[in-house]
Amino acid sequence: MVETVKRDKGVSVGYMKVYEREEMLLNKGIQQGREAERANTERERKRADLAEEENRRLKEEIKKLKKQ
């Protein structure tokens, strides 16, 4: 009986260690995903800003050409 309880305890501790490791890896993966998404969002924002600036520049150029 004592050996069975000791064995069960060892299995429980082993399971908890595996569970904690998986939880840690999951959290790390989530964090990396968030960081990658932030970087992608920033890259897209810069691209959009450049496109808007180009659009404004071209509109101004069109206005100038229409006046001529």
Side-chain angles (χ1 to χ4, degrees):
M1 178 73 166
V2 172
E3 290 302 316
T4 303
V5 171
K6 284 183 180 179
R7 225 176 329 173
D8 287 346
K9 184 179 177 184
V11 169
S12 295
V13 170
Y15 172 77
M16 288 305 295
K17 286 180 180 180
V18 168
Y19 177 81
E20 288 172 352
R21 177 165 166 66
E22 287 177 353
E23 187 73 18
M24 180 187 68
L25 292 172
L26 175 64
N27 289 335
K28 185 177 179 181
I30 289 171
Q31 183 63 30
Q32 287 175 343
R34 287 179 181 155
E35 290 170 2
E37 187 58 34
R38 278 189 206 105
N40 186 50
T41 300
E42 182 63 22
R43 189 172 44 253
E44 285 297 314
R45 185 190 63 75
K46 287 179 181 178
R47 184 199 58 77
D49 288 347
L50 288 172
E52 287 179 1
E53 183 59 36
E54 178 70 6
N55 187 27
R56 279 191 288 265
R57 187 186 68 74
L58 291 172
K59 283 182 179 181
E60 287 297 318
E61 190 174 325
I62 289 171
K63 283 181 186 178
K64 288 178 185 177
L65 290 172
K66 284 184 177 180
K67 288 181 182 178
Q68 292 179 357

